[in-house]
């Protein structure tokens, strides 16, 4: 099976930078994904890392270290609208296998 | 725009009622779709994998006779919650993988979810 660990809550100030960590244990590994979910909404895709290193998409970046079974999501220039839950997710096989999600990190951005 | 459409978005019904939720892939054919359930302030938990033309695969602890899944075409999967009770109240989300996109990362697209409230 798979297990993912991420902090349950993070609070940060508007305009700051926040990092959300994720460690995982899987039998196989086909990449680490990050999703954002606002209250009452569906998860939306943010980023994906298959190889080690940093992927940047605007204010969001995601990092992966396969040797450490570790990744993080970095959010820069925080805005109030970034207050949401953030989930890391893995797929342990290719093809039509589903994502398995971490328990989520609730980010609160304060003024 | 949305690539996975889920309907209805909100259902309120009496205990004992059966409720059907539809999930459609709009721009691609999906031989496999997934159904997740999410309780308040918790993560998305995979319930079952819906396979076109064959039986669904259920995760441990999910009652297949209570959560009926039908995947009759390459663009439609349905989840029927039979004889729903208050403890079945939850947010149900379907998902499908686009086999044509993403290279090594075949994107998993999510519907907007169905909030089910059983009175």
């Amino acid at each position: 099976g798979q297990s993912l660990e991420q902090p349950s809550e993070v609070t940060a100030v508007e305009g700051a930078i926040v990092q959300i960590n994720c460690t995982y244990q899987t039998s196989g590994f086909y990449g680490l994904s990050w999703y954002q979910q606002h209250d009452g909404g569906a998860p939306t895709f943010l980023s994906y890392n298959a190889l080690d290193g940093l992927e940047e998409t605007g204010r969001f970046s995601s990092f992966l270290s396969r040797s450490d079974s570790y990744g993080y999501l970095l959010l820069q220039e925080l805005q109030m609208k970034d207050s949401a839950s953030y989930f890391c997710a893995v797929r342990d096989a290719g093809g039509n296998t589903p994502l398995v999600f971490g328990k989520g990190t609730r980010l609160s951005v304060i003024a | 725009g949305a690539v996975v459409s889920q309907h209805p978005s909100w259902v309120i019904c009496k205990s004992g009622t059966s409720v059907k939720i539809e999930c459609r892939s709009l721009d691609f054919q999906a031989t496999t779709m997934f159904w997740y359930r999410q309780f308040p302030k918790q993560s998305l938990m995979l319930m079952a994998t819906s396979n076109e033309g064959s039986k669904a695969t259920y995760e441990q602890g999910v009652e297949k006779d209570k959560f009926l899944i039908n995947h009759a075409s390459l663009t439609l999967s349905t989840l029927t919650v039979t004889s729903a009770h208050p403890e079945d109240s939850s947010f149900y989300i379907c998902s499908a993988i686009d086999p044509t996109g993403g290279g090594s990362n075949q994107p998993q697209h999510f519907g907007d979810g169905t909030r089910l409230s059983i009175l």
Side-chain angles (χ1 to χ4, degrees), chain B residues 54-95:
Chain B
S54 65
K55 291 182 179 180
T57 305
Y58 291 82
E59 295 300 301
Q60 190 173 8
V62 178
E63 300 176 58
K64 62 179 182 180
D65 294 329
K66 181 166 188 64
F67 299 99
L68 301 179
I69 292 173
N70 183 279
H71 195 151
S73 78
L74 287 171
T75 59
L76 175 64
S77 174
T78 61
L79 169 68
T80 302
V81 184
T82 62
S83 186
H85 288 95
E87 59 266 28
D88 298 321
S89 298
S90 188
F91 191 47
Y92 293 85
I93 310 171
C94 72
S95 177

Side-chain angles (χ1 to χ4, degrees), chain A residues 6 14 33 51 65 68 77 87 109:
Chain A
Q6 54 182 127
E14 192 176 16
S33 300
L51 302 176
S65 170
D68 295 321
E77 300 173 20
F87 295 90
V109 180

Side-chain angles (χ1 to χ4, degrees), chain A residues 22-77:
Chain A
C22 174
T23 57
Y24 59 87
Q25 288 186 324
T26 60
S27 53
F29 181 75
Y30 279 73
L32 180 69
S33 300
W34 288 93
Y35 283 78
Q36 179 191 62
Q37 186 181 31
H38 286 97
D39 287 345
T44 56
F45 173 77
L46 290 178
S47 70
Y48 170 77
N49 295 70
L51 302 176
D52 293 349
L54 192 67
E55 295 282 342
E56 297 180 71
T57 308
R59 295 188 297 115
F60 295 178
S61 304
S62 58
F63 172 83
L64 175 66
S65 170
R66 289 174 296 170
S67 61
D68 295 321
S69 298
Y70 164 76
Y72 66 71
L73 178 70
L74 191 73
L75 297 83
Q76 302 182 71
E77 300 173 20

Side-chain angles (χ1 to χ4, degrees), chain B residues 3 7 12-13 29 32 34 36 41 48 50 54-55 62 66 68 71 73 75 88 90 110 119:
Chain B
V3 295
H7 177 82
I12 301 174
C13 58
Q29 294 184 330
T32 304
F34 308 107
Y36 292 82
K41 299 191 186 302
S50 171
S54 65
K55 291 182 179 180
V62 178
K66 181 166 188 64
L68 301 179
H71 195 151
S73 78
T75 59
D88 298 321
S90 188
F110 289 84
L119 305 178

